[in-house]
Amino acid sequence: MDIKQFLDVLHVAERLKNNTRHSWTSSGRHESVAEHSWRLCLMAYFIRDEFPEADMDKVLRMCLVHDMGEAFTGDIPAFEKTSEDEQTESDCIGEWLQGLSEPYRGELKSLFEEMERQESLESRVYKALDKMEAVIQHNEADIETWLPLEYDLQMTYGKRETDRTEYTRRLKEEIDRMTQVKIQSEGKAES
């Protein structure tokens, strides 16, 4: 990749440091999209032994780029995101990819298509981890940052995605247990 294009990619990616998510950190500030993606990559790295049949390098690439569209659209919380928002984000990714040289354009286009189809083990692992990273972060935030709808959402978010493999199912069960402890310890009732 030539230097100008490389720097352009980094400029777009830098927006993910500035674009914040609905999630709060344990220190009381909004989490950035880049922070979410970084920890998602760390999660994939540390579970690679649980999926020896998977191409974990591909899972890491998925985790790394999955929210690039939010460099253009910003983050929209899952409970507010519409199909129109998803299409806008997809269109932005498509336009961004057109500006990339080969082999990056083709590789990333294929990767985004695979993530969208959710047919491969790699795409299913990435998606389950993506959902669980958000729930873990939510558990780490002060419960005062939770919206009323999030008491139930915290228990249901990502259930379908995590049910696809034994390991991610067990991960979701443990995170659910932690959520229940958090709610009970804070004296909050589930809505």
Side-chain angles (χ1 to χ4, degrees), residues 103-114:
Y104 304 101
R105 176 181 35 235
E107 288 175 5
L108 289 173
K109 183 176 185 292
S110 293
L111 199 64
F112 278 104
E113 289 170 354
E114 184 175 344

Side-chain angles (χ1 to χ4, degrees), residues 64 106 121 127 142 150 161 179 185:
L64 186 64
L121 174 60
K127 184 59 99 174
D142 189 310
E150 292 173 312
E161 292 83 0
T179 298
S185 71

Side-chain angles (χ1 to χ4, degrees), residues 36-37 40-41 44 55-68 107-108 110-127 130:
H36 160 71
S37 295
L40 185 55
C41 290
D55 178 349
M56 290 306 283
D57 180 57
K58 181 184 276 189
V59 175
L60 281 163
R61 283 178 290 172
M62 289 176 174
C63 293
L64 186 64
V65 302
H66 79 288
D67 274 341
M68 282 299 291
E107 288 175 5
L108 289 173
S110 293
L111 199 64
F112 278 104
E113 289 170 354
E114 184 175 344
M115 288 187 290
E116 180 67 28
R117 284 191 310 271
Q118 285 291 290
E119 295 171 351
S120 68
L121 174 60
E122 291 81 5
S123 66
R124 291 189 308 266
V125 169
Y126 130 74
K127 184 59 99 174
D130 182 36

Side-chain angles (χ1 to χ4, degrees), residues 37-178:
S37 295
W38 171 81
R39 189 158 78 163
L40 185 55
C41 290
L42 192 65
M43 290 170 73
Y45 174 78
F46 279 110
I47 65 155
R48 68 179 193 254
D49 57 325
E50 298 294 335
F51 297 95
E53 70 281 19
D55 178 349
M56 290 306 283
D57 180 57
K58 181 184 276 189
V59 175
L60 281 163
R61 283 178 290 172
M62 289 176 174
C63 293
L64 186 64
V65 302
H66 79 288
D67 274 341
M68 282 299 291
E70 293 183 13
F72 306 99
T73 64
D75 177 66
I76 301 169
F79 53 85
E80 293 179 358
K81 199 170 216 173
T82 66
S83 58
E84 184 178 304
D85 294 328
E86 289 174 3
Q87 186 59 53
T88 298
E89 191 173 314
S90 179
D91 291 347
C92 289
I93 285 291
E95 186 176 320
W96 177 69
L97 290 174
Q98 285 306 310
L100 296 179
S101 61
E102 292 295 347
Y104 304 101
R105 176 181 35 235
E107 288 175 5
L108 289 173
K109 183 176 185 292
S110 293
L111 199 64
F112 278 104
E113 289 170 354
E114 184 175 344
M115 288 187 290
E116 180 67 28
R117 284 191 310 271
Q118 285 291 290
E119 295 171 351
S120 68
L121 174 60
E122 291 81 5
S123 66
R124 291 189 308 266
V125 169
Y126 130 74
K127 184 59 99 174
L129 293 178
D130 182 36
K131 301 293 185 179
M132 290 305 88
E133 197 288 326
V135 175
I136 292 167
Q137 184 60 57
H138 213 62
N139 273 346
E140 292 170 336
D142 189 310
I143 202 163
E144 295 300 321
T145 65
W146 291 24
L147 300 174
L149 66 86
E150 292 173 312
Y151 288 89
D152 289 331
L153 184 60
Q154 191 72 352
M155 301 301 292
T156 60
Y157 191 69
K159 175 101 174 84
R160 182 188 58 189
E161 292 83 0
T162 57
D163 275 349
R164 295 174 175 169
T165 74
E166 176 61 27
Y167 183 81
T168 57
R169 185 175 21 260
R170 289 189 346 250
L171 175 63
K172 174 70 171 136
E173 288 169 1
E174 178 60 18
I175 295 167
D176 286 350
R177 186 193 64 73
M178 295 169 70

